[in-house]
Amino acid sequence: MPNKISPSLQEKNKPKLLQLDEKRFSSAFEIALVLIIMGIYLYAALSEGHNFAGQWFIRDDAFYYFKVAQNITDGHGVTFDGINPTNGYHPLWMLVCIPVFALARFDLILPLRVLVVISGMISATTGILLFRLVKRTLSMPAAILAGSYWVFDRTIHYNVTMFGLETGLTALMMCALLLAMADLKTNQPLTWRQILTISVLAVGMVYSRLDTIFLALLAGAWVLLRGTPIRTRLMLDVGIIVSAAFLSVVSRTGLPAYFSYSRSAVIFAVIGLMVQIPIYYFSGMYSYKDEVPWKQIVRLAWTTALGTGLTSLIMVGLLAAGHLPGLPRSALLLYMVIVFFAVRVIRLAARTHPAQARLNWRQVIHEGAGYYGILGGALAIYMTYNKIAFGTFMPVSGQIKAWWGSLQGSAYGNPIGNLAGLLGLEREEGLNAWGPIIYLINDLKDWLGTNLWLVTSLMLIAVLLILFTRPKRAARGAVSMALPVLLTGSLVQLCYYNGQGYAGAKDWYWVSQMIFFPLLGALCFDLILRPMRRFKWGQILGWGITTALCIGYYALPFGYVIVNRMPWGPERVDQPYMDVIPFLESNTEEGALIGMTGGGNVGYFIHGRTIINMDGLINSYAYFQALRAGQGDEYLASIGMDYIFANPDILLNPPYYGQFDEWSKKVAQFGKKDLMKYDQ
């Protein structure tokens, strides 16, 4: 709801000790933040060249982008190896990389230096957007803390910025979308310019990481329902219904047995949304009537029973028709119980919201057609181009990882074996879906010598207690920063990946989660400082805490880490960027085609040889089809591959199943990897 207090009255009611010129102070903070972060990144960008391969761009996945971008500029097509067309990347980051890696024809390190500077610019801009988003509703110290945290936190830097992947750009587009949504007037129709702005930002976010489509779809509903309390309940109901479907099946089957039923769980969640949400709407569950508690419980009970009952009937029908692999019947009852109690908790928490505003359906349809039309059109263009150019609608890398997840004992990850991992609460890579907060929870668990669930519960209770100290301000801040959308989008994305057993998930996938917690933390920080602002010493203490955290805990340690990671010194001209490069070049002939199960960084730095990606992530759709059919060996022979350089044990396991054994003969060894001649 818009603030009804006039600016002059707001200024009058501020504590008199620190009445700042907020506009000037905000500008000064933003300038200082940019200067500091860009100074650090420029220091890294100008450091000795070998740092970039061994200390900064340490993920093979980044070099998939770099090599494809280099090949595009060199006229070799959209390929990693100059032979196989590939779409195993997110398009917007590739567009950024293409002009940068045109510089690789002059020097392989030069584009890496440029990309470090670009990454710094993206990080600084994202921090400023977070600062502005928080400052709209909360205090200046909370906003400063949020912006500083994003640019200086070492875990955020590690997972978002340093790898050279699309994650930083995704975070930038996501924050820009959140800020644009927050700036919309709740009581006015959108102009076409506003619709276009919101839609283009959503498309940019999706093009930067395609799995943000869930958040983009939810963001549209959030915008269309602005000015009404429906949207908060709707967002949280979506999260509850989707999560309940997966949790009910997991609870009845156990892990990893659940993954035999994962397809049923996905369909269960989709049907639950299609049935339950309309029933809630037409039964008045999204209105804010002053009903006595027992009437609210009765209304919730019969709507939940009706919705979950219809969902269960549909699922039983699909099972009887043989369209599902199976589903424990007891999961249907458990689903009803979870939905009832979770939705009841949400309704109790939502009692602090204002009275209901009438929904203007004509306006909703008009604005929705514009937003979803642009978003859907952009997706249709992308998918059509992929089908024409690469033979498949979606990136081959995602299809391959989904296939890996269906295999037992894959070389690229086994099915998740416990509930904490499924919920993204483990410290290990791929099982941490909630960013730096998970490291804190697990560190507290180890320090206290207790279990993960107790620490998680205690932390959740602590956050709720802070939020309920000033529930109206907490609700206003959460809505302004779109926290319900971020939370629900994060839950749906988590269910999409972990719920279907997706293999090879990485910590940098979880962008919305990494943005959610700085915003939630800023809200809690603001509520904690709020009572202190009534007193002079409280204001001084609040600013002191903010300064100590931003400078002492974040900025200075961050700068120290970067300086030590990227030392300056004379260029090591005679030393290869990777130790494996001279080994391969001395044991293979000029022009050789070398197959590797990864090979991104080797493919970028090697001279006179071509690396063929064998896991398929940055290979063609035709190769993926051949590998899945057990004919990957024949496919690689058909393109003239000369060598394989890989761990032989990996090639024996899924997804390779030893299909390259009869084609290869060991000629040399480097560490745990064999160089094998590929006989055709």
Side-chain angles (χ1 to χ4, degrees):
M1 293 292 289
N3 198 333
K4 300 298 184 181
I5 302 176
S6 67
S8 59
L9 185 58
Q10 285 182 315
E11 186 68 25
K12 181 179 178 181
N13 289 335
K14 281 185 179 180
K16 294 183 178 181
L17 176 67
L18 295 175
Q19 284 190 358
L20 301 172
D21 184 336
E22 290 195 357
K23 187 174 181 180
R24 289 185 178 181
F25 189 84
S26 297
S27 298
F29 170 75
E30 292 178 3
I31 292 170
L33 189 70
V34 171
L35 290 176
I36 293 171
I37 197 67
M38 291 312 301
I40 294 173
Y41 275 78
L42 281 170
Y43 178 93
L46 297 174
S47 68
E48 201 276 323
H50 287 73
N51 294 331
F52 296 93
Q55 298 295 325
W56 195 277
F57 300 107
I58 58 176
R59 290 290 186 171
D60 212 32
D61 305 61
F63 288 93
Y64 293 162
Y65 280 99
F66 303 166
K67 188 61 181 178
V68 173
Q70 181 188 18
N71 279 337
I72 291 172
T73 62
D74 288 342
H76 299 313
V78 189
T79 67
F80 175 76
D81 50 30
I83 302 170
N84 296 284
T86 184
N87 66 345
Y89 50 82
H90 299 284
L92 192 59
W93 185 236
M94 182 60 74
L95 291 176
V96 173
C97 289
I98 288 172
V100 174
F101 284 88
L103 301 172
R105 66 191 66 187
F106 307 112
D107 176 27
L108 290 177
I109 297 299
L110 178 58
L112 302 181
R113 297 184 189 276
V114 173
L115 203 65
V116 168
V117 176
I118 292 174
S119 298
M121 295 168 61
I122 290 173
S123 178
T125 306
T126 306
I128 289 172
L129 292 178
L130 280 171
F131 166 74
R132 292 181 179 180
L133 179 62
V134 174
K135 184 170 67 72
R136 291 184 77 262
T137 308
L138 305 180
S139 62
M140 185 70 73
I144 290 173
L145 186 62
S148 300
Y149 167 84
W150 184 264
V151 299
F152 295 125
D153 181 78
R154 283 158 286 173
T155 304
I156 293 293
H157 166 74
Y158 183 77
N159 285 315
V160 175
T161 307
M162 193 182 78
F163 294 157
L165 289 161
E166 72 284 341
T167 321
L169 185 60
T170 305
L172 174 63
M173 299 303 300
M174 193 175 293
C175 289
L177 177 61
L178 293 174
L179 185 59
M181 292 193 303
D183 286 338
L184 296 176
K185 302 296 183 182
T186 59
N187 56 352
Q188 296 178 7
L190 298 182
T191 65
W192 271 108
R193 183 176 180 178
Q194 290 175 313
I195 294 174
L196 182 62
T197 299
I198 296 293
S199 304
V200 168
L201 289 173
V203 170
M205 180 180 70
V206 173
Y207 274 15
S208 67
R209 261 205 78 86
L210 295 168
D211 56 12
T212 59
I213 184 60
F214 305 115
L215 182 61
L217 294 172
L218 293 168
W222 184 259
V223 169
L224 299 178
L225 298 174
R226 67 193 181 283
T228 70
I230 297 175
R231 62 179 184 172
T232 300
R233 287 186 173 187
L234 175 64
M235 289 300 122
L236 297 177
D237 284 349
V238 169
I240 289 169
I241 291 169
V242 171
S243 301
F246 286 96
L247 288 175
S248 61
V249 178
V250 169
S251 299
R252 303 314 303 157
T253 60
L255 290 164
Y258 156 80
F259 293 104
S260 299
Y261 303 89
S262 59
R263 180 170 170 268
S264 297
V266 172
I267 295 174
F268 192 10
V270 172
I271 293 175
L273 288 175
M274 295 173 62
V275 172
Q276 196 80 15
I277 296 299
I279 288 177
Y280 278 179
Y281 177 79
F282 289 109
S283 65
M285 286 292 293
Y286 292 123
S287 63
Y288 284 74
K289 298 178 180 178
D290 294 327
E291 293 181 322
V292 294
W294 71 266
K295 287 186 177 181
Q296 293 178 351
I297 294 174
V298 169
R299 182 188 296 270
L300 176 60
W302 75 260
T303 53
T304 301
L306 177 60
T308 57
L310 287 175
T311 301
S312 299
L313 285 175
I314 295 172
M315 293 298 295
V316 170
L318 291 174
L319 285 168
H323 296 307
L324 296 178
L327 184 72
R329 302 304 191 273
S330 57
L332 302 174
L333 179 60
L334 182 59
Y335 168 78
M336 179 185 297
V337 173
I338 294 174
V339 170
F340 174 82
F341 283 103
V343 172
R344 174 58 184 159
V345 170
I346 294 302
R347 294 309 185 269
L348 285 173
R351 293 178 65 185
T352 59
H353 283 266
Q356 181 181 9
R358 183 178 295 275
L359 200 59
N360 185 338
W361 278 106
R362 177 174 293 182
Q363 179 179 310
V364 169
I365 293 172
H366 170 74
E367 295 173 354
Y371 176 86
Y372 288 111
I374 294 173
L375 179 62
L379 279 175
I381 291 170
Y382 171 77
M383 294 172 68
T384 302
Y385 166 75
N386 274 274
K387 183 63 176 178
I388 294 172
F390 307 106
T392 180
F393 288 109
M394 297 300 291
V396 67
S397 53
Q399 298 179 58
I400 285 176
K401 288 189 175 182
W403 174 53
W404 289 348
S406 67
L407 305 175
Q408 296 295 320
S410 167
Y412 299 102
N414 294 313
I416 298 171
N418 58 66
L419 185 59
L422 190 76
L423 297 178
L425 299 176
E426 294 283 7
R427 187 187 280 118
E428 290 76 16
E429 183 177 47
L431 299 180
N432 175 0
W434 300 99
I437 191 68
I438 296 303
Y439 297 114
L440 174 60
I441 290 175
N442 280 275
D443 288 344
L444 285 174
K445 176 203 71 173
D446 296 340
W447 183 62
L448 295 173
T450 185
N451 66 69
L452 178 67
W453 300 109
L454 177 60
V455 175
T456 304
S457 300
L458 291 175
M459 185 165 290
L460 179 60
I461 291 171
V463 170
L464 292 175
L465 288 175
I466 293 172
L467 295 179
F468 278 100
T469 57
R470 297 179 66 91
K472 290 185 178 180
R473 182 173 180 81
R476 186 167 60 250
V479 169
S480 176
M481 296 184 294
L483 292 186
V485 183
L486 281 174
L487 178 59
T488 299
S490 299
L491 288 171
V492 173
Q493 184 201 23
L494 176 67
C495 291
Y496 169 76
Y497 279 121
N498 289 2
Q500 67 170 337
Y502 191 90
K506 304 296 183 182
D507 287 353
W508 64 80
Y509 286 19
W510 317 107
V511 183
S512 60
Q513 293 87 340
M514 285 187 276
I515 292 175
F516 174 81
F517 279 103
L519 295 176
L520 179 62
L523 178 57
C524 292
F525 187 69
D526 176 84
L527 295 174
I528 292 172
L529 292 185
R530 200 72 186 169
M532 300 165 56
R533 297 184 67 190
R534 301 175 183 176
F535 311 101
K536 292 182 179 181
W537 64 264
Q539 295 178 67
I540 296 172
L541 180 60
W543 278 105
I545 293 172
T546 304
T547 303
L549 287 173
C550 293
I551 297 178
Y553 190 75
Y554 289 122
L556 290 178
F558 177 77
Y560 177 81
V561 167
I562 298 302
V563 168
N564 282 274
R565 179 178 284 275
M566 304 293 284
W568 283 27
E571 292 292 331
R572 292 168 274 173
V573 179
D574 298 328
Q575 182 175 336
Y577 293 118
M578 299 179 64
D579 292 339
V580 72
I581 298 295
F583 166 79
L584 290 174
E585 291 178 351
S586 63
N587 285 281
T588 61
E589 65 277 6
E590 185 85 11
L593 302 184
I594 306 171
M596 292 184 64
T597 52
N601 47 9
V602 176
Y604 182 75
F605 286 112
I606 201 167
H607 294 281
R609 281 85 176 156
T610 297
I611 300 300
I612 307 293
N613 175 251
M614 291 176 61
D615 58 32
L617 295 178
I618 200 71
N619 208 316
S620 65
Y621 182 67
Y623 173 68
F624 168 47
Q625 295 292 87
L627 186 65
R628 186 164 57 178
Q631 299 172 352
D633 49 354
E634 298 175 12
Y635 181 92
L636 295 180
S638 71
I639 64 174
M641 192 170 74
D642 300 302
Y643 296 91
I644 291 178
F645 181 59
N647 186 322
D649 293 334
I650 289 179
L651 297 180
L652 292 174
N653 295 318
Y656 304 106
Y657 294 103
Q659 59 186 281
F660 301 104
D661 286 358
E662 61 184 72
W663 296 74
S664 45
K665 179 181 179 182
K666 179 178 177 180
V667 296
Q669 185 175 5
F670 184 88
K672 295 182 179 180
K673 292 186 176 182
D674 290 346
L675 178 65
M676 297 167 279
K677 179 66 177 175
Y678 201 61
D679 296 324
Q680 302 175 32

